[in-house]
């Protein structure tokens, strides 16, 4: 149980790691757009070296700044904020987001007006930077079997493109499409960039995930408890997808995308997720073998081989 007193409507928790300007823009939008609600903002900084903490103190003295002095991971940093959060609700928000309207109040009012429904978490359709479309805001729970099949097909496709590259020396012109459709209603999980939850035992992340999939793990626990996850209408938030991960992956060629730190961490966390939630050790081992073979691709192996030991390392039961 939380020991700190609930004195606010909402606690906004932002994890920051070397995203000074993004964080400044995010905080500015929060204080400019949020009205008619008692809220606090908590920034949990993971040892930034770009002047982020100094900027917070100078420009936003009202922010509750937690200095972790090291990159302890996304879930762990959020939990440090949660430990001091005084809000009835917690709004987990990425530093690479910008609020376009009074989104926090809209989320709060929705939760308060649906007290008779078993809500676990709500989010919204996130806009892209140009405001003309949407980016990933929610998703489906992929079974281990379907994910293993997808990765096997990916391995074969990358092998084919790599062979073509060595014979033709032409660029591998396969790009990744991050566009998403507008949708309202119940979903299987909401992206952690804008996750609005009640400040209770379900709000805490499993710290054994360093980066990625921790919000899916949290929401799976909610679903198992019969709580609903929902995308609602009203809040308007821009998500500079991948900005908080210092990523330029969106226009990467598909083979090389698997060497980016962003996707390496996603795959490692995905394996941890299945180790925790699916008792299928042989299929999990096969998945790790397929990922290892993808990483041993001659075009990317110099950047990925060092992650193979991490892939096969057990992490306290996950």
């Amino acid at each position: 149980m939380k020991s700190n007193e609930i004195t606010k409507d909402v606690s906004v928790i932002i994890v920051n790691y070397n995203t000074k300007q993004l964080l400044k823009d995010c905080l500015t939008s929060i204080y400019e757009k949020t009205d008619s609600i008692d809220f606090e903002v908590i920034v949990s900084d993971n040892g930034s070296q770009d002047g982020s903490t100094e900027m917070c103190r100078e420009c936003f003295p009202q922010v509750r700044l937690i200095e972790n002095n090291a990159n302890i991971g996304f879930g762990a940093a959020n939990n440090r904020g949660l430990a001091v959060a005084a809000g009835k609700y917690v709004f987990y928000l990425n530093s690479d987001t910008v609020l376009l309207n009074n989104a926090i109040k809209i989320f709060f009012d929705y939760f308060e007006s649906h007290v008779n429904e078993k809500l676990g978490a709500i989010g919204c359709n996130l806009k892209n930077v140009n405001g003309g479309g949407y980016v990933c805001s929610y998703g489906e729970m992929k079974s281990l079997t379907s994910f293993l099949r997808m990765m096997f097909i990916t391995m074969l496709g990358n092998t084919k493109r790599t062979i073509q590259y060595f014979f033709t020396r032409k660029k591998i012109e396969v790009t990744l499409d991050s566009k998403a459709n507008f949708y309202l209603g119940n979903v299987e999980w909401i992206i952690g960039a804008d996750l609005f939850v009640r400040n209770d035992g379900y709000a805490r992340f499993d710290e054994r995930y360093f980066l990625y999939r921790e919000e899916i793990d949290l929401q799976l626990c909610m679903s198992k408890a019969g709580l609903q996850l929902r995308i609602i209408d009203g809040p308007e938030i821009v998500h500079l997808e991948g900005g908080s991960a210092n990523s330029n992956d969106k226009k990467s060629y598909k083979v090389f995308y698997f060497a980016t730190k962003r996707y390496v961490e996603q795959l490692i966390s995905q394996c941890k997720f299945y180790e925790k939630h699916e008792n299928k050790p042989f299929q999990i081992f096969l998945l790790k073998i397929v990922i290892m073979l993808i990483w041993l691709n001659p075009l990317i192996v110099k950047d990925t081989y060092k992650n193979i030991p991490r892939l096969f390392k057990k992490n306290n039961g996950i």
Side-chain angles (χ1 to χ4, degrees):
M1 293 293 293
K2 290 176 65 62
S3 58
N4 44 302
E5 186 180 358
I6 300 301
T7 60
K8 302 285 185 181
D9 293 326
V10 180
S11 295
V12 183
I13 300 178
I14 303 171
V15 174
N16 179 67
Y17 180 61
N18 292 327
T19 61
K20 176 182 174 181
Q21 189 58 51
L22 290 174
L23 177 63
K24 185 176 183 180
D25 293 343
C26 179
L27 292 172
T28 298
S29 73
I30 291 172
Y31 287 109
E32 284 183 352
K33 300 298 183 180
T34 308
D35 189 29
S36 303
I37 189 169
D38 191 8
F39 74 101
E40 65 177 350
V41 178
I42 302 167
V43 171
S44 185
D45 186 82
N46 272 348
S48 296
Q49 302 294 316
D50 65 344
S52 291
T53 55
E54 293 80 2
M55 180 276 295
C56 273
R57 291 194 191 92
E58 180 180 348
C59 301
F60 304 96
Q62 66 273 52
V63 165
R64 300 181 68 178
L65 179 63
I66 298 173
E67 296 186 67
N68 299 312
N69 298 316
N71 189 358
I72 63 174
F74 183 76
N78 271 313
N79 287 345
R80 300 301 181 274
L82 180 66
V84 301
K88 180 180 180 181
Y89 297 95
V90 172
F91 185 32
Y92 293 117
L93 188 67
N94 272 19
S95 63
D96 60 345
T97 58
V98 175
L99 274 56
L100 302 181
N101 66 357
N102 198 2
I104 297 172
K105 178 68 161 57
I106 297 170
F107 280 129
F108 175 81
D109 287 346
Y110 189 93
F111 233 119
E112 289 286 284
S113 63
H114 290 75
V115 291
N116 294 327
E117 300 181 36
K118 284 190 168 184
L119 285 178
I122 56 177
C124 68
N125 287 286
L126 296 166
K127 297 176 178 288
N128 65 25
V129 66
N130 298 317
Y134 298 92
V135 295
C136 177
S137 306
Y138 55 88
E140 297 179 351
M141 293 283 183
K142 282 187 171 62
S143 69
L144 172 57
T145 301
S146 65
F147 191 77
L148 175 58
R149 185 185 304 115
M150 182 184 74
M151 294 305 295
F152 182 74
I153 293 171
T154 297
M155 180 191 70
L156 295 179
N158 282 358
T159 301
K160 178 182 177 181
R161 282 185 283 271
T162 301
I163 292 172
Q164 290 174 340
Y165 171 81
F166 279 116
F167 275 103
T168 65
R169 292 295 171 177
K170 291 182 180 179
K171 286 184 176 180
I172 305 169
E173 297 182 355
V174 179
T175 56
L176 297 164
D177 187 0
S178 63
K179 292 181 181 179
N181 295 324
F182 181 89
Y183 173 80
L184 298 174
N186 291 344
V187 294
E188 295 187 11
W189 55 265
I190 301 164
I191 193 172
D194 72 318
L195 192 62
F196 195 95
V197 303
R198 201 183 304 275
N199 189 353
D200 59 19
Y202 290 108
R204 183 176 175 81
F205 290 98
D206 187 331
E207 296 187 9
R208 291 173 292 183
Y209 298 93
F210 179 75
L211 186 63
Y212 299 116
R213 301 300 181 261
E214 60 281 294
E215 82 274 29
I216 301 177
D217 175 86
L218 179 148
Q219 292 173 80
L220 180 57
C221 294
M222 289 181 174
S223 295
K224 288 180 177 179
L227 301 177
Q228 299 180 38
L229 315 166
R230 186 173 299 168
I231 298 293
I232 71 167
D233 196 17
E236 296 183 1
I237 301 175
V238 170
H239 184 206
L240 309 173
E241 198 171 21
S244 60
N246 291 321
S247 171
N248 294 311
D249 299 338
K250 279 190 276 187
K251 293 187 181 300
S252 297
Y253 297 127
K254 193 166 186 179
V255 171
F256 301 103
Y257 179 75
F258 285 88
T260 61
K261 179 174 177 57
R262 180 184 184 188
Y263 203 68
V264 164
E265 295 297 338
Q266 286 178 357
L267 290 177
I268 290 173
S269 291
Q270 192 75 48
C271 289
K272 291 180 180 180
F273 179 84
Y274 290 131
E275 285 177 334
K276 179 177 179 179
H277 294 288
E278 295 205 28
N279 185 26
K280 298 179 179 178
F282 180 68
Q283 285 193 32
I284 292 169
F285 177 72
L286 284 181
L287 175 60
K288 291 181 177 183
I289 293 296
V290 171
I291 293 172
M292 180 184 70
L293 292 175
I294 290 173
W295 286 350
L296 290 176
N297 185 299
L299 295 180
I300 62 173
V301 65
K302 64 182 177 61
D303 297 315
T304 54
Y305 77 93
K306 57 185 176 294
N307 293 293
I308 293 175
R310 294 178 59 208
L311 183 68
F312 288 93
K313 181 181 178 181
K314 288 285 185 181
N315 190 356
N316 297 328
I318 289 191

